[in-house]
Amino acid sequence: HFMLVANRMMEYQALMKEMDARIRTLEERNGQLEAALRRTTAQLASKSETKAVSGEVRKLTKRLGALEGTCKREFKQAQQDRGHVKRGW
């Protein structure tokens, strides 16, 4: 009986070593996956921030274009008014 118990204990010891190795491998892989997830999340956040900033830049560009057009019209109108005033005197 002692030999059977000793043999069973050796089997358990081998299984424990194998399970320990598997746990270590899974922990390493888990760490790698967590790091990859953090990198991907950072990249996605960066892309989304870039899209938001790009949208704001487009809006500002349109607003500046409209303002520039308004200024040109007003300047042209002021030049015309000035021409009328000079001729009228």
Side-chain angles (χ1 to χ4, degrees):
H1 290 304
F2 179 73
M3 290 299 282
L4 290 174
V5 170
N7 191 20
R8 182 63 85 184
M9 292 297 284
M10 302 252 319
E11 287 176 11
Y12 286 149
Q13 185 179 12
L15 281 173
M16 293 297 255
K17 285 182 181 180
E18 183 181 333
M19 290 295 174
D20 187 51
R22 284 185 181 177
I23 288 171
R24 282 191 205 138
T25 303
L26 288 172
E27 285 175 344
E28 287 174 17
R29 194 164 186 200
N30 188 37
Q32 292 169 351
L33 289 172
E34 285 175 347
L37 180 61
R38 281 192 297 271
R39 283 191 305 271
T40 302
T41 302
Q43 288 173 349
L44 288 174
S46 175
K47 285 180 183 179
S48 132
E49 287 172 4
T50 302
K51 276 186 178 180
V53 168
S54 178
E56 291 298 318
V57 167
R58 270 189 246 116
K59 286 180 188 177
L60 287 172
T61 302
K62 286 180 183 179
R63 288 179 185 164
L64 284 173
L67 183 60
E68 187 178 84
T70 302
C71 288
K72 283 181 181 179
R73 279 192 308 275
E74 289 177 359
F75 184 71
K76 192 175 185 179
Q77 184 64 39
Q79 283 182 332
Q80 287 176 355
D81 290 345
R82 191 171 148 210
H84 288 293
V85 170
K86 282 185 177 180
R87 280 187 231 142
W89 280 43

